[in-house]
Amino acid sequence: MNQQPYRSFKSIFLLVSFFFITILFFSNKGKADSLRELIPSYGVIKPKFVSTQVAIGNGIVHKIKYKLGDKARRGKILISIIERETIRNYRNTLKGTVAKIHVTPGAAISAGMPLITIVNSDKKYMEIAFSPDESNKVAKGLSVLSQTKKVKIGTINRLSPIVDPDTGTVLSFVDLKSYGRPYRIGEVLPIFIEGKVKKCQKVIPLKDLGLYTSGHKVNFIAGDKVCLEGKEP
């Protein structure tokens, strides 16, 4: 029996297999040598709509119609102020919840003083404060992930162009997607901001970092992975 066709077929099969294995090896190697940077931070949940009634003139607080946490409809009287021989009523301009009462009955007030703050909690956003260096890595459109569940919860839609002179930080603002989870106003969430994909000499699990103490240095840490680069001689 002639074995030549069988040997030729076997040789071709081995050659094709080697070719695909080589491609797969270098493809996986390329993937292992790159990692998307995850910038850790914290975000604060804030309401999109807030209304604070401000005193128009001087007077004495007569009556406060609502308590902290009460629901208030638009057009309802929130507070009344005695001004000389008349009473001025301040009506609500935003449907929502009484978030803060700035005065007490009988207190003397002057023009410009805040009286009552109403918050509408139906729509919320996240505010993130970055250091000036961190802000250079952030841009509009980047995804924001939950550190705990590793899922996307929103997108950066605005970044302040200036550094806040009081806090020394740069603020960014995030449109939220709840993914079925309600957020509370004032809640602080640990988050990651997805950065750019960067090349690494080696990508390792964070738990194995102690095994690479010589010949490498940490470029950045992204969640449970580490991007290493070689040390210069």
Side-chain angles (χ1 to χ4, degrees):
M1 182 176 178
N2 189 1
Q3 298 290 329
Q4 190 64 31
Y6 171 75
R7 289 176 181 175
S8 299
F9 174 78
K10 185 177 180 181
S11 299
I12 294 172
F13 175 77
L14 291 174
L15 184 63
V16 171
S17 299
F18 176 78
F19 175 74
F20 280 107
I21 290 172
T22 302
I23 291 177
L24 183 62
F25 172 79
F26 283 105
S27 174
N28 288 336
K29 184 179 179 182
K31 290 180 181 177
D33 287 343
S34 63
L35 183 65
R36 183 178 296 278
E37 188 173 14
L38 297 178
I39 305 163
S41 190
Y42 289 89
V44 182
I45 306 300
K46 296 196 171 185
K48 279 192 173 182
F49 302 108
V50 180
S51 173
T52 298
Q53 292 288 337
V54 177
I56 296 174
N58 302 332
I60 303 293
V61 178
H62 178 50
K63 286 183 180 180
I64 300 174
K65 305 288 187 178
Y66 290 86
K67 300 187 298 294
L68 196 65
D70 285 351
K71 301 290 184 182
R73 291 185 295 173
R74 290 184 64 178
K76 293 295 184 179
I77 297 174
L78 295 174
I79 189 171
S80 57
I81 305 294
I82 300 173
E83 296 180 2
R84 296 183 181 178
E85 297 179 357
T86 63
I87 294 179
R88 184 189 298 274
N89 293 318
Y90 289 79
R91 295 182 180 274
N92 187 24
T93 58
L94 176 69
K95 177 186 176 182
T97 304
V98 178
K100 190 169 184 178
I101 301 173
H102 302 270
V103 295
T104 56
I109 63 167
S110 57
M113 285 182 61
L115 302 174
I116 293 183
T117 297
I118 304 294
V119 167
N120 185 314
S121 58
D122 292 340
K123 293 186 178 180
K124 309 177 187 75
Y125 70 96
M126 178 185 288
E127 184 177 281
I128 310 171
F130 295 104
S131 69
D133 287 341
E134 288 176 332
S135 69
N136 292 329
K137 303 177 183 178
V138 179
K140 180 179 177 180
L142 292 183
S143 296
V144 178
L145 312 178
S146 164
Q147 280 194 23
T148 53
K149 296 186 177 181
K150 303 295 191 300
V151 295
K152 181 178 177 179
I153 60 175
T155 304
I156 293 178
N157 69 343
R158 189 158 56 93
L159 187 67
S160 174
I162 62 172
V163 177
D164 188 308
D166 295 325
T167 62
T169 59
V170 177
L171 296 179
S172 70
F173 307 93
V174 178
D175 281 334
L176 292 171
K177 294 181 179 179
S178 67
Y179 290 90
R181 180 186 182 282
Y183 298 107
R184 299 188 304 273
I185 292 173
E187 185 176 1
V188 179
L189 300 177
I191 56 170
F192 287 124
I193 294 89
E194 276 194 343
K196 297 179 180 178
V197 176
K198 294 187 176 182
K199 291 184 178 180
C200 309
Q201 188 181 74
K202 187 180 290 290
V203 175
I204 63 169
L206 180 59
K207 63 182 179 64
D208 295 340
L209 183 58
L211 303 176
Y212 294 85
T213 54
S214 61
H216 298 87
K217 64 179 181 179
V218 176
N219 188 354
F220 63 88
I221 297 174
D224 57 357
K225 295 183 180 180
V226 181
C227 173
L228 298 178
E229 59 183 23
K231 287 184 179 179
E232 295 181 3

